[in-house]
């Protein structure tokens, strides 16, 4: 029994073709939307590529861009087929291409569904990328005189100001690295010498943070140096008092920003996928309803359209049998080639009698 079997007359076939033509052009605009989302995400990721450890995060925008281009191409082609299906003479040239085209559409929709899922599942990979990238970026914060790294201070400062964050996982991350350049240290000072000597790696570590960690809406002037020294500030206890520094780490802030963006894009791609699936089903019904016309010379006669010629179970069984036959055929061919090679390798013995 055919799956989704529907009876059509000429009027219904025309309405279906016209409706599909319109839906395909809506799908073209949906493809442009998917392409635009991928392009926007790629630009947003490139803005902060200095604080990302690898290029894996660009897999999602690249996939969206590719799916958007393919969607425009497939749906534009389908729109042409639906338009020509109104004229039997024009439609005849598309008949041999419809089955391969529908198979490609099926593969495309599977890929589109997986791209939508990836948009939701990239959070873990993105978190590790941001964690390592921010860690490296903070190490290069002081290298304002080093070619190739002189921009890192501005990048980190702008990032912390824009996203209202501090450090990788929190403000205490700055205590573990030397973020003050050596050119601004007085090495004749006893305090500087003592701090450098007290550290195994010979770094100048302080319990302070860059100015960009300060919260400008705090009523108290920013305490960015000697953050953990209660006696250095009046009426201050860093363990109990709400610090006037950004509490949230930049990894969390960026992860929330990008993951929420990707989740929204994934939801849009899922809606586009559902629309594409409905278009593919409609195109299959149109194809089979035109193929099953009993008398091609009488376009007004009734016909039947279906999505699958047999039930889903029977179609699955026949597909498995076809795959098994193909496997057996390949084994027979391989055996025949091996036997031919053995026979070819045996040379007849020639006895020479003198």
């Amino acid at each position: 029994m055919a799956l989704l079997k529907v009876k059509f007359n000429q009027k219904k076939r025309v309405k279906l073709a016209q409706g599909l033509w319109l839906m395909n052009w809506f799908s073209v605009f949906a493809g442009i939307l998917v392409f635009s989302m991928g392009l926007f995400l790629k630009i947003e990721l490139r803005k902060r590529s200095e604080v990302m450890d690898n290029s894996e995060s660009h897999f999602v925008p690249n996939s969206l861009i590719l799916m958007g281009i393919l969607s425009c191409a497939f749906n534009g082609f389908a729109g042409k087929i639906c338009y020509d299906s109104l004229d039997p003479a024009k439609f005849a040239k598309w008949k041999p291409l419809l089955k391969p085209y529908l198979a490609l559409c099926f593969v495309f929709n599977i890929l589109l569904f997986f791209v939508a899922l990836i948009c939701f599942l990239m959070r873990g990979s993105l978190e590790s990328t941001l964690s390592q990238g921010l860690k490296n970026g903070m190490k290069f914060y002081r290298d304002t005189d080093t070619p190739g790294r002189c921009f890192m201070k501005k990048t980190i400062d702008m990032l912390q100001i824009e996203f209202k964050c501090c450090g990788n996982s929190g403000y205490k991350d700055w205590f573990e690295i030397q973020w003050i350049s050596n050119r601004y240290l007085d090495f004749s000072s006893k305090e500087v010498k003592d701090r450098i000597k007290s550290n195994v790696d010979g770094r100048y570590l302080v319990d302070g943070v860059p100015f960009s960690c300060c919260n400008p809406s705090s009523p108290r002037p920013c305490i960015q140096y000697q953050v953990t020294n209660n006696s250095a500030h009046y009426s201050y206890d860093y363990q109990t008092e709400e610090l006037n520094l950004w509490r949230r780490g930049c990894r969390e802030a960026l992860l929330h920003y990008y993951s929420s963006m990707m989740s929204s894009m994934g939801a849009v791609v899922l809606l586009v996928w559902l629309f594409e699936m409905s278009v593919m089903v409609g195109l299959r019904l149109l194809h089979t309803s035109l193929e099953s016309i009993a008398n091609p010379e009488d376009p007004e006669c009734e016909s039947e359209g279906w999505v699958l010629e047999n039930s889903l179970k029977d179609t699955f069984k026949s597909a498995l049998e076809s795959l098994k036959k193909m496997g057996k055929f390949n084994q027979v061919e391989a055996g025949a080639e091996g036997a031919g090679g053995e026979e070819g390798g045996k040379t007849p013995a020639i006895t020479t009698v003198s």
Side-chain angles (χ1 to χ4, degrees):
M1 185 178 176
L3 182 67
L4 289 178
K5 197 172 185 180
V6 183
K7 285 189 176 182
F8 288 92
N9 54 29
Q10 186 188 22
K11 187 176 180 181
K12 285 184 178 180
R13 286 194 296 268
V14 169
K15 282 186 177 180
L16 178 61
Q18 290 174 339
L20 284 173
W21 177 83
L22 188 62
M23 288 176 72
N24 273 294
W25 286 110
F26 275 123
S27 294
V28 170
F29 289 117
I32 294 171
L33 176 62
V34 172
F35 174 84
S36 302
M37 288 192 305
L39 193 62
F40 174 75
L41 181 58
K42 193 172 185 69
I43 292 169
E44 285 296 303
L45 289 170
R46 281 195 177 277
K47 281 182 183 178
R48 298 165 188 96
S49 58
E50 296 88 357
V51 293
M52 292 187 177
D53 185 46
N54 53 44
S55 58
E56 288 180 8
S57 54
H58 288 273
F59 178 74
V60 173
N62 290 342
S63 300
L64 290 173
I65 289 170
L66 178 62
M67 287 296 106
I69 293 170
L70 289 177
S71 178
C72 292
F74 274 108
N75 289 292
F77 184 71
K80 174 64 175 172
I81 292 173
C82 294
Y83 182 79
D84 286 349
S85 65
L86 299 171
D87 185 352
K90 289 182 178 179
F91 182 72
K93 65 181 180 181
W94 298 115
K95 280 187 178 182
L97 299 174
L98 271 174
K99 280 188 178 179
Y101 172 74
L102 286 168
L104 286 174
C105 282
F106 182 72
V107 173
F108 166 74
N109 280 297
I110 291 174
L111 292 175
L112 190 63
F113 180 74
F114 277 111
V115 168
L117 286 183
I118 288 168
C119 289
F120 294 107
L121 300 175
M122 278 295 288
R123 182 183 176 91
S125 175
L126 186 62
E127 184 173 8
S128 60
T129 297
L130 287 169
S131 178
Q132 192 59 40
L134 283 165
K135 188 177 179 181
N136 293 334
M138 288 171 65
K139 286 180 182 178
F140 303 144
Y141 182 88
R142 63 173 180 166
D143 297 340
T144 52
D145 297 328
T146 306
R149 297 179 186 172
C150 55
F151 60 87
M152 190 56 72
K153 180 183 181 301
K154 180 182 177 182
T155 300
I156 297 291
D157 283 333
M158 293 303 295
L159 177 68
Q160 293 188 146
I161 292 170
E162 182 180 353
F163 286 91
K164 299 180 179 180
C165 59
C166 185
N168 190 342
S169 56
Y171 69 92
K172 288 186 179 180
D173 294 334
W174 289 108
F175 300 173
E176 300 171 5
I177 62 169
Q178 181 182 338
W179 55 272
I180 301 174
S181 176
N182 287 337
R183 68 180 295 187
Y184 300 114
L185 296 176
D186 182 9
F187 287 96
S188 62
S189 170
K190 185 178 182 300
E191 182 188 352
V192 173
K193 287 179 181 179
D194 290 343
R195 280 190 179 274
I196 292 175
K197 286 179 181 179
S198 64
N199 186 264
V200 177
D201 299 326
R203 295 178 297 170
Y204 181 76
L205 303 181
V206 293
D207 56 343
V209 296
F211 78 96
S212 52
C213 284
C214 295
N215 181 358
S217 60
S218 173
R220 181 169 188 157
C222 185
I223 298 173
Q224 65 178 110
Y225 295 107
Q226 297 184 336
V227 176
T228 59
N229 187 357
N230 292 334
S231 60
H233 313 283
Y234 176 73
S235 184
Y236 175 73
D237 183 358
Y238 84 97
Q239 290 182 332
T240 59
E241 185 174 345
E242 185 73 22
L243 297 177
N244 52 2
L245 305 175
W246 299 121
R247 289 280 190 172
R248 188 168 62 162
C250 290
R251 179 183 59 190
E252 181 188 347
L254 283 173
L255 185 63
H256 179 266
Y257 175 71
Y258 284 119
S259 59
S260 61
M261 186 187 297
M262 287 184 185
S263 296
S264 301
M265 290 180 179
V268 173
V269 174
L270 274 178
L271 291 174
V272 172
W273 173 75
L274 289 172
F275 194 73
E276 291 282 356
M277 286 293 292
S278 63
V279 171
M280 187 181 71
V281 169
L283 191 61
R284 174 63 175 167
L285 287 171
L286 179 65
H287 167 225
T288 50
S289 66
L290 290 169
E291 285 281 340
S292 63
I293 292 176
N295 183 11
E297 294 180 359
D298 182 19
E300 295 185 2
C301 67
E302 290 189 349
S303 62
E304 291 182 340
W306 56 83
V307 175
L308 293 176
E309 194 170 358
N310 300 312
S311 66
L312 193 61
K313 186 179 178 181
D314 293 338
T315 304
F316 184 69
K317 282 182 179 178
S318 63
L320 282 177
E321 287 174 4
S322 299
L323 289 173
K324 286 179 182 178
K325 286 179 182 178
M326 286 176 65
K328 288 179 181 178
F329 181 72
N330 289 334
Q331 288 177 0
V332 170
E333 278 193 339
E337 286 176 2
E342 288 177 4
E343 290 177 2
K346 293 178 182 177
T347 57
I350 301 171
T351 305
T352 306
V353 179
S354 56

